[in-house]
Amino acid sequence: MAATIKDIAKLAHVSIATVSRILSDRTESHTEETIARVRKAAKELAYQKNTAAIELVTKKSNVVAVIVSATPTNFSNQIIDGIQKKAAKHHLAVIILYAGENNTELQRKALQTVAERSVMGILLLAINLSPANLKFLTKSTIPFVFLALSFQDKTIPFIASDDFQIAYQATNFLISKGHRKIGLAAADFHISYTGYRRLAGYQKAMQEHQLQLVPDWVQDGNYSYQSGRRAIQAYMKNTQVTAVIANSDLAAMGVANQALDFGLSIPNDLSIISIDGTDFCTMFRPQLTSMTQSFYEMGSQGIDCLLNRKLSTAAQRFTAVSIQERESVKNI
Amino acid sequence: MAATIKDIAKLAHVSIATVSRILSDRTESHTEETIARVRKAAKELAYQKNTAAIELVTKKSNVVAVIVSATPTNFSNQIIDGIQKKAAKHHLAVIILYAGENNTELQRKALQTVAERSVMGILLLAINLSPANLKFLTKSTIPFVFLALSFQDKTIPFIASDDFQIAYQATNFLISKGHRKIGLAAADFHISYTGYRRLAGYQKAMQEHQLQLVPDWVQDGNYSYQSGRRAIQAYMKNTQVTAVIANSDLAAMGVANQALDFGLSIPNDLSIISIDGTDFCTMFRPQLTSMTQSFYEMGSQGIDCLLNRKLSTAAQRFTAVSIQERESVKNI
DNA sequence: CTGTTAGCGCGTTCAA
DNA sequence: TTGAACGCGCTAACAG
């Protein structure tokens, strides 16, 4: 079977303690000759260290767990990319677990899995934890940070965009283009803090410009493609809206396609600004103007945060958002 | 710190062996009363089992590792979904590791990570392993299966679509619609077995119909959006092609957009059939006709395969492909 | 029905 | 500079 340090010790005629030291690069006080002999033996036996044993004795782990939702978002890849790159720099291994979409059971299972493995930290990508699961997490002593999701609670660490600002700026942008009747589509305004804040940002901008707030212009959803379609289906009874803020790129595509299906032209009949700014914005026609979030940065900072955390500081950070003008918003 | 079975034993006034048995549901020979007492104590201490310790002694693991490439494909989610569902049924935990795109270094690192953890199996999603890494994997005694990628070598287990058939059927479909000048775009025909087989299927179909094989109609690439665009850029010098087979949905979108940018209409001026059939086919306009692969099924069967493998049987299975007619192919 | 004991593979004192 | 011995938390015989 797999070789152990004991085998190496035997082959190299040294003690296991010596092997242990040398293989973990604690070579300060060892003969060049011994070191070489041990290394050679290790290679010969194709030695693979047993992480379970190491973690058992050191009570440490160098893997960070990323929990992602199977949600219809597509920015996860960018975040994971950021996580991956930064983690590699610090010699951390990263494992990813799926937790379904608002599935308490699956969330619990994922949390359980990582807790049993005593990972060094947990990154939660756009995961809306149930209260019970959140409590489980906070009690677990494992450092964690939420990514791409913000909280009102000051004790929960997160790295995300300022959702109020996103919607506020998007609305102002549309207003600056001459729009007065602006829809807000496909977010869970009454469920998540994210949705709540975006609604607030939108309302603030509208009010600051003495613009009418029509309830029907705000269409609930879950950031999905279908949510986007449904928003336009609802607007149809009320074609006054000249521009809509879609709460995800996927939703924006749904909005656009349903509008197209209704015979509307974009952006001539309807302007769209999308929130996220992933690659799909340029792959769709017309190319989607977007409020672009710094997903890569979120992932990268997530690792930093885990590394620096002394188990007490609850860091809450906002990453930059910027507006990318493409083809889906028209000056009217 | 975290409670151990020793703590529970003390609290419940039993031995650690009893605790161990009860907590792992080996309750056959235990008093209802003891069981209750132990369970209560465990709950009280918020006991979390230490997986590292368990794996150390049992030399078993119930986690399967999935290695995915950061490649510009988008079907991974479907495969992972299939893996997840089937794994849950068997009480397996799944962890996912990224291995970059044809990055030997990252591949090695991912392989190393899972080898050190002695997972119970490895699923490789569309990963083109370097020869050295493949050798490392085969020597490791850990069961593995490639997903969405086939091999000529009969000893390498995989579950994938029959790439020859995919291209053969796609080509025949186009021919049945009246097309004679058919392009094949955006695969790595001279690098991967997948590309090689698809090229062969295409050529076979063309030849069977006495159709001309024009080298320029076959455009190399890497399944990416940009590959798709480049193919059309190349065709421009040679506008004879009336239909193209795009080797991925992303590539198909690239093909379509570049054609659009050149002023072509789809499918009037150019028909497109896409290989993959993910959600993007219906989110794109015109909706993409596709050769749809059974990705979910691949993931699901991948777990079965791992479970049934006696470390010797090299299973090679093909999953179904079907053609979904949508809007991007025109009868001429 | 339950307890005792011996490791699993490794890092870490403490001596030598 | 090196080695012997202990223990991390747990399971698996083997007693009783």
Side-chain angles (χ1 to χ4, degrees), chain B residues 218-294:
Chain B
V218 176
Q219 288 294 328
D220 234 86
N222 64 351
Y223 307 93
S224 68
Y225 176 78
Q226 285 304 334
S227 293
R229 293 192 72 102
R230 275 192 299 268
I232 294 299
Q233 284 161 14
Y235 289 152
M236 264 299 91
K237 308 167 192 158
N238 186 340
T239 57
Q240 313 170 52
V241 166
T242 64
V244 17
I245 301 171
N247 276 280
S248 80
D249 289 341
L250 251 20
M253 290 164 69
V255 164
N257 280 340
Q258 184 62 61
L260 258 26
D261 289 351
F262 276 155
L264 265 33
S265 156
I266 295 172
N268 292 327
D269 300 324
L270 184 73
S271 286
I272 300 175
I273 183 166
S274 174
I275 295 178
D276 277 356
T278 64
D279 291 344
F280 295 122
C281 291
T282 57
M283 298 186 347
F284 193 82
R285 293 305 151 90
Q287 296 191 34
L288 268 12
T289 290
S290 69
M291 293 298 309
T292 301
Q293 304 194 56
S294 307

Coordinates of all heavy atoms in Angstrom, one line a residue, chain B residues 218-294:
Chain B
V218 N -13.0 23.7 -42.4 CA -12.8 23.2 -41.0 C -11.9 24.2 -40.3 O -10.7 24.4 -40.7 CB -12.1 21.9 -41.1 CG1 -11.7 21.4 -39.7 CG2 -13.0 20.9 -41.7
Q219 N -12.4 24.9 -39.3 CA -11.7 25.9 -38.6 C -11.3 25.5 -37.2 O -12.2 25.3 -36.3 CB -12.5 27.2 -38.6 CG -12.5 27.9 -40.0 CD -11.1 28.4 -40.4 OE1 -10.3 28.8 -39.6 NE2 -10.9 28.4 -41.7
D220 N -10.1 25.5 -36.9 CA -9.6 25.1 -35.6 C -9.9 26.0 -34.5 O -10.2 27.2 -34.8 CB -8.0 25.0 -35.6 CG -7.6 23.6 -35.2 OD1 -7.5 22.7 -36.0 OD2 -7.3 23.5 -34.0
G221 N -9.9 25.6 -33.3 CA -10.3 26.5 -32.1 C -10.2 25.7 -30.8 O -9.8 24.6 -30.8
N222 N -10.8 26.3 -29.8 CA -10.8 25.6 -28.5 C -12.2 25.7 -27.8 O -12.3 25.8 -26.6 CB -9.7 26.3 -27.6 CG -10.0 27.7 -27.3 OD1 -10.9 28.3 -27.9 ND2 -9.3 28.3 -26.4
Y223 N -13.2 25.6 -28.6 CA -14.6 25.6 -28.1 C -15.1 26.9 -27.5 O -16.1 27.0 -26.9 CB -14.7 24.5 -27.0 CG -14.3 23.1 -27.5 CD1 -13.0 22.7 -27.3 CD2 -15.1 22.3 -28.2 CE1 -12.5 21.5 -27.8 CE2 -14.7 21.1 -28.7 CZ -13.4 20.7 -28.4 OH -13.0 19.5 -28.9
S224 N -14.3 27.9 -27.6 CA -14.6 29.2 -26.9 C -15.4 30.1 -27.8 O -15.5 29.9 -29.0 CB -13.3 29.9 -26.5 OG -12.7 30.4 -27.7
Y225 N -16.0 31.1 -27.2 CA -16.7 32.1 -27.9 C -15.9 32.8 -29.0 O -16.2 32.9 -30.2 CB -17.2 33.2 -26.9 CG -17.9 34.4 -27.5 CD1 -19.3 34.3 -27.9 CD2 -17.3 35.6 -27.7 CE1 -19.9 35.4 -28.5 CE2 -17.9 36.7 -28.2 CZ -19.3 36.6 -28.6 OH -19.9 37.7 -29.1
Q226 N -14.6 33.1 -28.6 CA -13.7 33.7 -29.6 C -13.4 32.8 -30.7 O -13.2 33.2 -31.9 CB -12.4 34.2 -28.8 CG -12.6 35.4 -28.0 CD -13.1 36.6 -28.8 OE1 -13.0 36.7 -30.0 NE2 -13.8 37.5 -28.1
S227 N -13.3 31.5 -30.4 CA -13.0 30.6 -31.5 C -14.1 30.6 -32.6 O -13.9 30.6 -33.8 CB -13.0 29.1 -31.0 OG -11.9 28.9 -30.2
G228 N -15.3 30.8 -32.1 CA -16.5 30.9 -33.0 C -16.4 32.1 -33.9 O -16.6 32.0 -35.1
R229 N -16.0 33.2 -33.3 CA -15.9 34.4 -34.0 C -14.8 34.3 -35.1 O -15.0 34.7 -36.2 CB -15.5 35.6 -33.1 CG -16.6 36.0 -32.1 CD -16.3 37.3 -31.4 NE -16.4 38.4 -32.4 CZ -17.5 39.2 -32.4 NH1 -18.5 39.1 -31.5 NH2 -17.5 40.2 -33.3
R230 N -13.7 33.7 -34.6 CA -12.6 33.6 -35.6 C -12.9 32.7 -36.8 O -12.4 33.0 -37.9 CB -11.3 33.0 -34.8 CG -10.5 34.1 -34.1 CD -9.2 33.5 -33.7 NE -9.3 32.4 -32.8 CZ -9.3 32.6 -31.4 NH1 -9.2 33.7 -30.9 NH2 -9.5 31.5 -30.7
A231 N -13.7 31.7 -36.5 CA -14.1 30.8 -37.7 C -14.8 31.7 -38.7 O -14.5 31.5 -39.9 CB -15.0 29.7 -37.2
I232 N -15.7 32.5 -38.3 CA -16.5 33.3 -39.3 C -15.5 34.3 -40.0 O -15.6 34.6 -41.2 CB -17.7 34.0 -38.7 CG1 -18.7 32.9 -38.2 CG2 -18.3 35.0 -39.6 CD1 -19.2 32.1 -39.3
Q233 N -14.6 34.8 -39.2 CA -13.7 35.8 -39.8 C -12.9 35.1 -40.9 O -12.6 35.7 -41.9 CB -12.8 36.3 -38.7 CG -13.4 37.4 -37.8 CD -12.7 37.6 -36.5 OE1 -11.6 37.1 -36.3 NE2 -13.4 38.2 -35.5
A234 N -12.6 33.8 -40.7 CA -11.8 33.1 -41.7 C -12.7 32.8 -42.9 O -12.3 32.9 -44.0 CB -11.3 31.8 -41.1
Y235 N -13.9 32.4 -42.7 CA -14.8 32.1 -43.8 C -15.1 33.3 -44.7 O -15.3 33.1 -45.9 CB -16.2 31.6 -43.2 CG -16.2 30.3 -42.6 CD1 -17.1 30.0 -41.6 CD2 -15.3 29.3 -42.9 CE1 -17.1 28.8 -40.9 CE2 -15.3 28.1 -42.3 CZ -16.2 27.8 -41.3 OH -16.2 26.6 -40.7
M236 N -15.0 34.4 -44.2 CA -15.3 35.6 -45.0 C -14.6 35.6 -46.3 O -15.1 36.1 -47.3 CB -14.9 36.9 -44.2 CG -16.1 37.5 -43.5 SD -17.4 38.0 -44.6 CE -18.5 36.5 -44.6
K237 N -13.4 35.1 -46.3 CA -12.6 35.1 -47.6 C -13.3 34.1 -48.5 O -13.0 34.0 -49.7 CB -11.2 34.6 -47.3 CG -10.5 35.3 -46.2 CD -9.2 34.6 -45.9 CE -8.6 35.1 -44.6 NZ -7.7 34.1 -43.9
N238 N -14.2 33.4 -48.0 CA -14.8 32.3 -48.7 C -16.2 32.1 -48.3 O -16.5 31.2 -47.4 CB -13.9 31.0 -48.3 CG -14.3 29.8 -49.1 OD1 -15.4 29.8 -49.7 ND2 -13.4 28.9 -49.1
T239 N -17.1 32.8 -48.8 CA -18.5 32.9 -48.3 C -19.4 31.7 -48.8 O -20.6 31.8 -48.8 CB -19.1 34.2 -48.8 OG1 -19.0 34.3 -50.2 CG2 -18.5 35.4 -48.1
Q240 N -18.8 30.7 -49.3 CA -19.6 29.6 -49.9 C -20.4 28.9 -48.9 O -21.5 28.4 -49.1 CB -18.7 28.6 -50.6 CG -17.7 29.2 -51.6 CD -16.7 28.2 -52.0 OE1 -17.1 27.1 -52.5 NE2 -15.4 28.4 -51.8
V241 N -19.8 28.7 -47.7 CA -20.5 28.0 -46.6 C -21.9 28.4 -46.3 O -22.1 29.6 -46.1 CB -19.6 28.0 -45.4 CG1 -20.4 27.5 -44.2 CG2 -18.3 27.2 -45.6
T242 N -22.8 27.5 -46.3 CA -24.2 27.9 -46.0 C -24.6 27.5 -44.6 O -25.7 27.9 -44.1 CB -25.2 27.3 -47.0 OG1 -25.2 25.9 -46.8 CG2 -24.8 27.7 -48.4
A243 N -23.8 26.6 -44.0 CA -24.2 26.2 -42.6 C -22.9 25.8 -41.9 O -21.9 25.4 -42.5 CB -25.1 25.0 -42.7
V244 N -22.9 26.0 -40.6 CA -21.7 25.7 -39.8 C -22.1 24.9 -38.5 O -23.1 25.2 -37.9 CB -20.8 26.9 -39.5 CG1 -21.5 28.2 -39.7 CG2 -20.2 26.8 -38.1
I245 N -21.3 23.9 -38.2 CA -21.4 23.2 -37.0 C -20.5 23.8 -36.0 O -19.2 23.8 -36.2 CB -21.0 21.7 -37.2 CG1 -21.9 21.1 -38.3 CG2 -21.1 20.9 -35.9 CD1 -21.5 19.7 -38.7
A246 N -21.0 24.4 -34.9 CA -20.2 25.0 -33.9 C -19.9 24.0 -32.8 O -20.9 23.3 -32.3 CB -20.8 26.2 -33.4
N247 N -18.7 23.8 -32.4 CA -18.4 22.7 -31.4 C -18.7 23.0 -30.0 O -18.3 22.2 -29.1 CB -17.0 22.3 -31.6 CG -16.8 21.3 -32.8 OD1 -17.1 20.1 -32.6 ND2 -16.5 21.8 -34.0
S248 N -19.4 24.1 -29.7 CA -19.9 24.3 -28.3 C -21.0 25.4 -28.4 O -21.0 26.1 -29.5 CB -18.8 24.7 -27.4 OG -18.5 26.1 -27.5
D249 N -21.8 25.5 -27.4 CA -22.8 26.6 -27.5 C -22.1 28.0 -27.5 O -22.6 28.9 -28.2 CB -23.7 26.5 -26.2 CG -24.6 25.3 -26.3 OD1 -24.8 24.8 -27.4 OD2 -25.1 24.9 -25.3
L250 N -21.1 28.1 -26.7 CA -20.4 29.4 -26.7 C -19.8 29.7 -28.0 O -19.9 30.8 -28.5 CB -19.3 29.3 -25.6 CG -19.4 30.1 -24.3 CD1 -20.8 30.4 -24.0 CD2 -18.7 29.3 -23.2
A251 N -19.2 28.7 -28.7 CA -18.7 28.9 -30.0 C -19.8 29.3 -31.0 O -19.6 30.1 -31.8 CB -18.0 27.6 -30.5
A252 N -20.9 28.7 -30.8 CA -22.1 29.0 -31.7 C -22.5 30.4 -31.6 O -22.8 31.1 -32.6 CB -23.2 28.1 -31.4
M253 N -22.4 30.9 -30.4 CA -22.8 32.3 -30.2 C -21.7 33.2 -30.8 O -22.1 34.3 -31.4 CB -22.9 32.6 -28.7 CG -24.2 31.9 -28.1 SD -24.2 31.8 -26.3 CE -24.4 33.6 -25.8
G254 N -20.5 32.8 -30.7 CA -19.4 33.6 -31.4 C -19.6 33.6 -32.9 O -19.5 34.6 -33.6
V255 N -19.9 32.4 -33.4 CA -20.2 32.3 -34.9 C -21.3 33.2 -35.3 O -21.2 34.0 -36.2 CB -20.6 30.8 -35.2 CG1 -21.2 30.7 -36.6 CG2 -19.3 29.9 -35.1
A256 N -22.4 33.1 -34.5 CA -23.6 33.9 -34.8 C -23.3 35.4 -34.7 O -23.7 36.1 -35.7 CB -24.7 33.5 -33.9
N257 N -22.7 35.8 -33.7 CA -22.5 37.2 -33.5 C -21.5 37.8 -34.6 O -21.8 38.9 -35.1 CB -21.9 37.5 -32.1 CG -23.0 37.5 -31.1 OD1 -24.2 37.7 -31.4 ND2 -22.7 37.4 -29.8
Q258 N -20.5 37.1 -34.9 CA -19.6 37.6 -35.9 C -20.3 37.6 -37.3 O -20.1 38.6 -38.0 CB -18.4 36.7 -36.0 CG -17.3 37.2 -37.0 CD -16.8 38.5 -36.6 OE1 -16.2 38.7 -35.5 NE2 -17.0 39.5 -37.4
A259 N -21.1 36.6 -37.5 CA -21.9 36.6 -38.8 C -22.8 37.9 -38.8 O -22.9 38.6 -39.8 CB -22.7 35.4 -38.9
L260 N -23.5 38.1 -37.7 CA -24.4 39.3 -37.6 C -23.5 40.5 -37.8 O -24.0 41.4 -38.5 CB -25.0 39.3 -36.1 CG -26.4 38.8 -35.9 CD1 -26.9 37.8 -37.0 CD2 -26.6 38.2 -34.5
D261 N -22.4 40.6 -37.2 CA -21.6 41.8 -37.3 C -21.1 42.0 -38.8 O -20.9 43.1 -39.2 CB -20.3 41.7 -36.4 CG -20.7 41.8 -35.0 OD1 -21.8 42.1 -34.7 OD2 -19.8 41.6 -34.1
F262 N -21.1 40.9 -39.5 CA -20.7 41.0 -40.9 C -21.9 41.3 -41.8 O -21.8 41.4 -43.0 CB -20.1 39.7 -41.4 CG -18.6 39.6 -41.1 CD1 -18.0 38.3 -41.0 CD2 -17.8 40.7 -41.0 CE1 -16.6 38.2 -40.8 CE2 -16.5 40.6 -40.7 CZ -15.9 39.4 -40.6
G263 N -23.1 41.5 -41.1 CA -24.3 41.8 -41.9 C -25.0 40.6 -42.4 O -26.0 40.8 -43.1
L264 N -24.6 39.5 -41.9 CA -25.3 38.3 -42.4 C -26.6 38.1 -41.5 O -26.6 38.5 -40.3 CB -24.4 37.0 -42.2 CG -23.6 36.6 -43.5 CD1 -23.3 37.8 -44.3 CD2 -22.4 35.8 -43.0
S265 N -27.6 37.4 -42.0 CA -28.7 37.1 -41.2 C -28.8 35.6 -40.9 O -28.4 34.8 -41.8 CB -30.0 37.5 -42.1 OG -31.1 36.7 -41.6
I266 N -29.2 35.3 -39.7 CA -29.2 33.9 -39.3 C -30.7 33.5 -39.1 O -31.4 34.2 -38.3 CB -28.4 33.7 -38.1 CG1 -26.9 33.9 -38.4 CG2 -28.6 32.2 -37.5 CD1 -26.0 33.9 -37.3
P267 N -31.2 32.5 -39.7 CA -30.5 31.5 -40.5 C -30.6 31.8 -42.0 O -30.2 30.9 -42.8 CB -31.3 30.2 -40.1 CG -32.7 30.7 -40.0 CD -32.6 32.1 -39.4
N268 N -31.1 32.9 -42.4 CA -31.3 33.1 -43.8 C -30.0 33.0 -44.6 O -29.9 32.4 -45.7 CB -32.0 34.5 -44.1 CG -33.4 34.4 -43.6 OD1 -34.1 33.4 -43.6 ND2 -33.9 35.6 -43.1
D269 N -29.0 33.7 -44.1 CA -27.7 33.7 -44.9 C -26.8 32.5 -44.4 O -25.9 32.1 -45.1 CB -27.0 35.0 -44.7 CG -27.8 36.1 -45.3 OD1 -28.5 35.9 -46.3 OD2 -27.8 37.2 -44.7
L270 N -27.0 32.2 -43.1 CA -26.1 31.1 -42.6 C -26.9 30.4 -41.5 O -27.5 30.9 -40.6 CB -24.9 31.8 -41.9 CG -23.8 30.9 -41.4 CD1 -23.0 30.2 -42.5 CD2 -22.8 31.6 -40.5
S271 N -26.8 29.0 -41.7 CA -27.4 28.2 -40.6 C -26.4 27.8 -39.6 O -25.2 27.6 -40.0 CB -28.0 27.0 -41.3 OG -29.2 27.3 -42.0
I272 N -26.8 27.6 -38.4 CA -25.9 27.2 -37.4 C -26.5 26.0 -36.5 O -27.6 26.1 -36.1 CB -25.6 28.3 -36.4 CG1 -25.0 29.5 -37.1 CG2 -24.6 27.9 -35.3 CD1 -24.7 30.7 -36.3
I273 N -25.7 25.0 -36.3 CA -26.1 24.0 -35.4 C -25.0 23.9 -34.3 O -23.8 23.9 -34.6 CB -26.3 22.6 -36.0 CG1 -26.8 21.6 -34.9 CG2 -25.1 22.1 -36.7 CD1 -27.4 20.4 -35.5
S274 N -25.4 23.9 -33.1 CA -24.5 24.0 -32.0 C -24.4 22.7 -31.3 O -25.3 21.9 -31.2 CB -25.0 25.1 -31.0 OG -24.3 25.1 -29.8
I275 N -23.2 22.4 -30.8 CA -23.0 21.1 -30.0 C -22.9 21.4 -28.5 O -22.1 22.2 -28.1 CB -21.7 20.4 -30.5 CG1 -21.8 20.0 -31.9 CG2 -21.4 19.2 -29.6 CD1 -20.6 19.3 -32.5
D276 N -23.8 20.9 -27.8 CA -23.9 20.9 -26.3 C -25.4 21.0 -25.9 O -25.9 20.2 -25.2 CB -23.2 22.1 -25.7 CG -21.7 21.8 -25.5 OD1 -21.3 20.7 -25.8 OD2 -21.0 22.7 -25.1
G277 N -26.0 22.1 -26.3 CA -27.5 22.2 -26.0 C -27.8 22.6 -24.5 O -28.7 22.2 -23.9
T278 N -27.0 23.5 -24.0 CA -27.2 24.1 -22.7 C -28.3 25.2 -22.8 O -28.8 25.5 -23.9 CB -26.0 24.7 -22.1 OG1 -25.5 25.8 -22.9 CG2 -24.9 23.6 -22.0
D279 N -28.6 25.7 -21.7 CA -29.7 26.8 -21.6 C -29.4 27.9 -22.6 O -30.4 28.6 -23.0 CB -29.8 27.3 -20.2 CG -30.4 26.3 -19.3 OD1 -30.9 25.3 -19.8 OD2 -30.3 26.5 -18.0
F280 N -28.2 28.2 -22.8 CA -27.9 29.3 -23.7 C -28.5 29.2 -25.0 O -28.8 30.3 -25.7 CB -26.4 29.5 -23.8 CG -25.8 29.9 -22.5 CD1 -24.8 29.1 -22.0 CD2 -26.2 30.9 -21.8 CE1 -24.2 29.4 -20.7 CE2 -25.7 31.3 -20.5 CZ -24.7 30.5 -20.0
C281 N -28.8 28.0 -25.5 CA -29.4 27.9 -26.8 C -30.8 28.6 -26.9 O -31.1 29.1 -27.9 CB -29.6 26.4 -27.1 SG -28.0 25.6 -27.4
T282 N -31.5 28.6 -25.8 CA -32.8 29.2 -25.8 C -32.7 30.7 -25.4 O -33.7 31.4 -25.6 CB -33.8 28.5 -25.0 OG1 -33.3 28.4 -23.6 CG2 -34.1 27.1 -25.5
M283 N -31.6 31.1 -24.8 CA -31.5 32.5 -24.4 C -31.0 33.3 -25.5 O -31.0 34.5 -25.4 CB -30.7 32.5 -23.1 CG -31.3 31.8 -22.0 SD -30.5 31.9 -20.4 CE -29.0 32.7 -20.8
F284 N -30.4 32.7 -26.5 CA -29.8 33.4 -27.6 C -30.9 33.6 -28.7 O -31.8 32.8 -28.8 CB -28.6 32.6 -28.2 CG -27.8 33.4 -29.1 CD1 -26.8 34.3 -28.6 CD2 -27.9 33.3 -30.5 CE1 -26.0 35.1 -29.5 CE2 -27.1 34.1 -31.3 CZ -26.2 34.9 -30.9
R285 N -30.8 34.7 -29.4 CA -31.7 34.9 -30.5 C -30.9 35.0 -31.8 O -30.0 35.8 -31.9 CB -32.6 36.2 -30.3 CG -33.5 36.0 -29.1 CD -34.4 34.7 -29.3 NE -34.8 34.2 -28.1 CZ -35.9 34.5 -27.4 NH1 -36.6 35.4 -27.9 NH2 -36.2 33.8 -26.3
P286 N -31.3 34.3 -32.9 CA -32.3 33.3 -32.9 C -31.9 32.1 -32.0 O -30.7 31.8 -31.9 CB -32.3 32.9 -34.4 CG -31.0 33.1 -34.9 CD -30.5 34.4 -34.2
Q287 N -32.9 31.4 -31.5 CA -32.6 30.3 -30.6 C -31.8 29.2 -31.4 O -32.1 28.9 -32.6 CB -33.9 29.7 -30.1 CG -34.6 30.7 -29.2 CD -35.7 30.0 -28.4 OE1 -35.7 28.9 -28.1 NE2 -36.8 30.8 -28.2
L288 N -30.8 28.7 -30.8 CA -29.8 27.8 -31.4 C -30.3 26.3 -31.5 O -30.6 25.7 -30.5 CB -28.5 27.8 -30.7 CG -27.4 28.8 -31.0 CD1 -27.8 29.9 -32.0 CD2 -26.7 29.3 -29.8
T289 N -30.4 25.8 -32.7 CA -30.6 24.4 -32.9 C -29.4 23.7 -32.4 O -28.3 24.2 -32.7 CB -30.9 24.1 -34.4 OG1 -32.1 24.7 -34.8 CG2 -30.8 22.6 -34.7
S290 N -29.6 22.6 -31.7 CA -28.4 22.0 -31.2 C -28.3 20.4 -31.1 O -29.4 19.8 -31.2 CB -28.2 22.5 -29.7 OG -29.2 21.9 -28.9
M291 N -27.2 19.9 -31.1 CA -26.9 18.5 -30.8 C -26.8 18.5 -29.3 O -25.8 18.9 -28.7 CB -25.6 18.0 -31.4 CG -25.6 17.9 -32.9 SD -26.8 16.8 -33.6 CE -26.5 15.3 -32.6
T292 N -27.8 18.0 -28.6 CA -27.9 18.1 -27.1 C -27.3 16.9 -26.5 O -27.6 15.8 -26.8 CB -29.3 18.3 -26.6 OG1 -29.8 19.5 -27.3 CG2 -29.4 18.5 -25.1
Q293 N -26.3 17.1 -25.6 CA -25.7 16.0 -24.9 C -26.4 15.8 -23.5 O -27.0 16.7 -23.0 CB -24.2 16.4 -24.6 CG -23.4 16.7 -25.9 CD -21.9 16.7 -25.6 OE1 -21.4 15.7 -25.2 NE2 -21.3 17.8 -25.9
S294 N -26.2 14.6 -23.0 CA -26.8 14.3 -21.7 C -25.9 14.5 -20.5 O -25.4 13.6 -19.9 CB -27.3 12.8 -21.7 OG -28.0 12.5 -22.9

